[in-house]
């Protein structure tokens, strides 16, 4: 391992009823300089503070915010350790995982990870450890998703 590099070992895939799920058991991390806990990122337009229309547009903006905030702290997307997804819906009769909104977000996530140099995070590989929650409301009317992230900081030289 090169000096100044974080060593992160992905967990194992999780299977339910023989089907590979979109998450892993977790990640183990060595040689880090600390941890960054980001506030929730959402999809409100930065100029108007109005939520962008649709969960896909909101998820894309939230992910871009996470990327920028991590870089401000001196780390990057590939050092994400855990993500929390809060998805708004009146109810989820078959669970959040089976809801179309979450399926739309999964498409956005897979595309975002691949476009931003972390294809290993796509759902068919080893995405960061995560928690998916279906909720009735977020901070502002019209917000459909909020994403929280925790990431490792590179070691201090």
């Amino acid at each position: 391992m090169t000096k100044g590099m974080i060593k992160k070992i992905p967990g194992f895939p999780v299977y339910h009823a023989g089907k590979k799920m979109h998450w892993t058991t977790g990640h183990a991390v060595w040689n880090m300089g600390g941890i960054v806990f980001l506030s929730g990122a959402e999809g409100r337009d930065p100029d108007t503070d109005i939520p962008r229309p649709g969960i896909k547009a909101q998820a894309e903006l939230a992910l871009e915010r996470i990327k920028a905030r991590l870089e401000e702290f001196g780390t990057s997307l590939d050092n994400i350790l855990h993500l929390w997804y809060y998805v708004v819906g009146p109810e989820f009769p078959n669970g959040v995982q089976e809801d179309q909104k979450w399926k739309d977000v999964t498409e956005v996530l897979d595309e975002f990870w691949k476009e931003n140099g972390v294809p290993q995070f796509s759902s068919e590989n080893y995405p960061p450890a995560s928690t998916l929650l279906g909720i009735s409301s977020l901070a502002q009317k019209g917000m459909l998703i909020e994403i929280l992230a925790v990431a490792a900081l590179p070691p201090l030289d």
Side-chain angles (χ1 to χ4, degrees):
M1 178 170 45
T2 307
K3 184 179 178 184
M5 299 231 2
I6 294 171
K7 182 178 180 185
K8 185 168 75 167
I9 307 297
F12 302 99
V14 175
Y15 292 87
H16 286 283
K19 180 181 173 191
K20 184 178 176 189
M21 297 292 104
H22 299 286
W23 61 86
T24 63
T25 56
H27 294 277
V29 180
W30 289 267
N31 196 33
M32 66 178 184
I35 298 177
V36 175
F37 295 86
L38 295 182
S39 296
E42 39 27 67
R44 293 186 298 197
D45 186 279
D47 296 323
T48 65
D49 200 37
I50 296 171
R52 290 198 173 159
I55 197 162
K56 284 185 172 185
Q58 289 185 28
E60 288 170 6
L61 182 55
L63 291 166
E64 288 295 337
R65 285 189 166 139
I66 288 170
K67 178 182 177 187
R69 291 172 185 172
L70 289 174
E71 290 170 357
E72 287 173 359
F73 278 102
T75 190
S76 61
L77 292 171
D78 60 334
N79 292 325
I80 290 175
L81 303 175
H82 195 105
L83 294 164
W84 284 263
Y85 301 99
Y86 295 87
V87 178
V88 173
E91 56 184 66
F92 300 97
N94 297 316
V96 182
Q97 176 184 319
E98 295 302 320
D99 192 82
Q100 186 59 49
K101 281 189 239 159
W102 177 245
K103 291 177 182 180
D104 291 345
V105 170
T106 300
E107 287 178 26
V108 170
L109 289 167
D110 284 345
E111 186 175 318
F112 181 82
W113 300 137
K114 290 173 185 172
E115 288 178 358
N116 286 279
V118 284
Q120 69 272 21
F121 283 1
S122 64
S123 60
E124 66 267 6
N125 292 316
Y126 292 96
S130 63
T131 302
L132 174 61
L133 299 163
I135 60 173
S136 62
S137 182
L138 284 165
Q140 188 179 33
K141 184 177 179 177
M143 288 174 57
L144 301 172
I145 187 167
E146 188 164 341
I147 306 171
L148 281 74
V150 172
L153 287 168
L156 300 172
D157 290 328

